[in-house]
mmCIF file with all atom_site columns, all heavy atoms in Angstrom:
data_model
loop_
_atom_site.group_PDB
_atom_site.id
_atom_site.type_symbol
_atom_site.label_atom_id
_atom_site.label_alt_id
_atom_site.label_comp_id
_atom_site.label_asym_id
_atom_site.label_entity_id
_atom_site.label_seq_id
_atom_site.pdbx_PDB_ins_code
_atom_site.Cartn_x
_atom_site.Cartn_y
_atom_site.Cartn_z
_atom_site.occupancy
_atom_site.B_iso_or_equiv
_atom_site.pdbx_formal_charge
_atom_site.auth_seq_id
_atom_site.auth_comp_id
_atom_site.auth_asym_id
_atom_site.auth_atom_id
_atom_site.pdbx_PDB_model_num
ATOM 1  N N   . LEU A 1 72 ? 115.781 104.762 102.120 1.00 94.00 ? 1265 LEU A N   1
ATOM 2  C CA  . LEU A 1 72 ? 116.584 105.712 102.885 1.00 94.00 ? 1265 LEU A CA  1
ATOM 3  C C   . LEU A 1 72 ? 116.442 105.453 104.387 1.00 94.00 ? 1265 LEU A C   1
ATOM 4  O O   . LEU A 1 72 ? 117.412 105.569 105.143 1.00 94.00 ? 1265 LEU A O   1
ATOM 5  C CB  . LEU A 1 72 ? 116.163 107.139 102.543 1.00 94.00 ? 1265 LEU A CB  1
ATOM 6  C CG  . LEU A 1 72 ? 116.509 107.595 101.118 1.00 94.00 ? 1265 LEU A CG  1
ATOM 7  C CD1 . LEU A 1 72 ? 115.822 108.912 100.798 1.00 94.00 ? 1265 LEU A CD1 1
ATOM 8  C CD2 . LEU A 1 72 ? 118.015 107.717 100.932 1.00 94.00 ? 1265 LEU A CD2 1
ATOM 9  N N   . ILE A 1 73 ? 115.250 105.087 104.821 1.00 93.00 ? 1266 ILE A N   1
ATOM 10 C CA  . ILE A 1 73 ? 115.053 104.752 106.236 1.00 93.00 ? 1266 ILE A CA  1
ATOM 11 C C   . ILE A 1 73 ? 115.864 103.507 106.599 1.00 93.00 ? 1266 ILE A C   1
ATOM 12 O O   . ILE A 1 73 ? 116.484 103.436 107.658 1.00 93.00 ? 1266 ILE A O   1
ATOM 13 C CB  . ILE A 1 73 ? 113.558 104.510 106.530 1.00 93.00 ? 1266 ILE A CB  1
ATOM 14 C CG1 . ILE A 1 73 ? 112.781 105.822 106.428 1.00 93.00 ? 1266 ILE A CG1 1
ATOM 15 C CG2 . ILE A 1 73 ? 113.368 103.873 107.904 1.00 93.00 ? 1266 ILE A CG2 1
ATOM 16 C CD1 . ILE A 1 73 ? 111.274 105.643 106.456 1.00 93.00 ? 1266 ILE A CD1 1
ATOM 17 N N   . GLY A 1 74 ? 115.877 102.529 105.693 1.00 91.00 ? 1267 GLY A N   1
ATOM 18 C CA  . GLY A 1 74 ? 116.615 101.293 105.952 1.00 91.00 ? 1267 GLY A CA  1
ATOM 19 C C   . GLY A 1 74 ? 118.105 101.496 106.082 1.00 91.00 ? 1267 GLY A C   1
ATOM 20 O O   . GLY A 1 74 ? 118.790 100.718 106.749 1.00 91.00 ? 1267 GLY A O   1
ATOM 21 N N   . GLY A 1 75 ? 118.619 102.541 105.455 1.00 89.00 ? 1268 GLY A N   1
ATOM 22 C CA  . GLY A 1 75 ? 120.038 102.847 105.575 1.00 89.00 ? 1268 GLY A CA  1
ATOM 23 C C   . GLY A 1 75 ? 120.884 102.204 104.493 1.00 89.00 ? 1268 GLY A C   1
ATOM 24 O O   . GLY A 1 75 ? 120.383 101.543 103.575 1.00 89.00 ? 1268 GLY A O   1
ATOM 25 N N   . GLN A 1 76 ? 122.176 102.396 104.586 1.00 88.00 ? 1269 GLN A N   1
ATOM 26 C CA  . GLN A 1 76 ? 123.117 101.909 103.586 1.00 88.00 ? 1269 GLN A CA  1
ATOM 27 C C   . GLN A 1 76 ? 122.996 100.396 103.402 1.00 88.00 ? 1269 GLN A C   1
ATOM 28 O O   . GLN A 1 76 ? 122.936 99.643  104.366 1.00 88.00 ? 1269 GLN A O   1
ATOM 29 C CB  . GLN A 1 76 ? 124.545 102.273 103.987 1.00 88.00 ? 1269 GLN A CB  1
ATOM 30 C CG  . GLN A 1 76 ? 125.581 101.924 102.923 1.00 88.00 ? 1269 GLN A CG  1
ATOM 31 C CD  . GLN A 1 76 ? 126.970 102.424 103.308 1.00 88.00 ? 1269 GLN A CD  1
ATOM 32 O OE1 . GLN A 1 76 ? 127.167 102.968 104.384 1.00 88.00 ? 1269 GLN A OE1 1
ATOM 33 N NE2 . GLN A 1 76 ? 127.926 102.229 102.415 1.00 88.00 ? 1269 GLN A NE2 1
ATOM 34 N N   . GLY A 1 77 ? 122.955 99.972  102.161 1.00 88.00 ? 1270 GLY A N   1
ATOM 35 C CA  . GLY A 1 77 ? 122.833 98.554  101.857 1.00 88.00 ? 1270 GLY A CA  1
ATOM 36 C C   . GLY A 1 77 ? 121.401 98.072  101.733 1.00 88.00 ? 1270 GLY A C   1
ATOM 37 O O   . GLY A 1 77 ? 121.169 96.913  101.378 1.00 88.00 ? 1270 GLY A O   1
#
Side-chain angles (χ1 to χ4, degrees):
L1265 292 169
I1266 291 170
Q1269 186 175 3

